[in-house]
Amino acid sequence: MQWFARKTRQEIWDEAIQWPLGDIEAAARIRAICDAAAQSAIAAAQNDKGESARYERAAKVAMEIAMKISDDLMRDDAVHRIVDLCMSASDLKTAQILFRAIHASWIRETVQRDHPTLVS
């Protein structure tokens, strides 16, 4: 009875990436990953082990893609999205490290306004 066989969920961050990926496509992929992992990040903040692992995989893939973006502003915006995801998961350590990687002053100010605990 293969009709009822439970299929594992294919996540956007588990899909193979066809390199080279342009900056716009990379930023769009990071946005999609962060949107898809938002609920897992919230559950991870509440100590849900399964969702925590899902959030960590998503954040790791998003960070790997962000490192390959060559445009500074696009990379800073992508890192901003990943910082938001980390803060949803109460992953302050990772968020602080990523926050330091943002160079554009107006994006840094936006992140500081949204997450004042990063600056402490």
Side-chain angles (χ1 to χ4, degrees):
M1 297 222 111
Q2 291 182 327
W3 296 333
F4 300 111
R6 187 171 186 141
K7 294 183 173 117
T8 58
R9 181 167 60 175
Q10 180 68 23
E11 305 291 356
I12 189 169
W13 51 86
D14 291 334
E15 295 174 4
I17 298 173
Q18 300 296 325
W19 297 103
L21 195 63
D23 289 348
I24 294 173
E25 293 87 9
R29 189 165 186 104
I30 290 170
R31 185 180 315 114
I33 289 171
C34 291
D35 290 345
Q39 291 301 317
S40 294
I42 293 169
Q46 299 168 350
N47 295 325
D48 183 338
K49 299 296 180 195
E51 293 296 318
S52 179
R54 186 172 181 255
Y55 148 75
E56 288 172 2
R57 282 194 329 268
K60 180 182 175 191
V61 170
M63 286 183 256
E64 289 172 357
I65 295 170
M67 288 188 318
K68 295 182 177 162
I69 297 176
S70 60
D71 183 77
D72 294 337
L73 287 176
M74 291 187 102
R75 183 179 51 248
D76 286 349
D77 182 59
V79 171
H80 176 207
R81 291 182 184 277
I82 300 169
V83 168
D84 288 343
L85 181 67
C86 292
M87 291 303 291
S88 295
S90 297
D91 189 358
L92 187 61
K93 180 181 174 186
T94 305
Q96 286 175 331
I97 292 168
L98 291 171
F99 174 70
R100 284 186 236 128
I102 298 174
H103 297 292
S105 62
W106 64 275
I107 295 177
R108 286 181 67 87
E109 291 169 4
T110 302
V111 174
Q112 286 175 337
R113 185 184 66 238
D114 293 346
H115 309 291
T117 57
L118 285 175
V119 186
S120 58

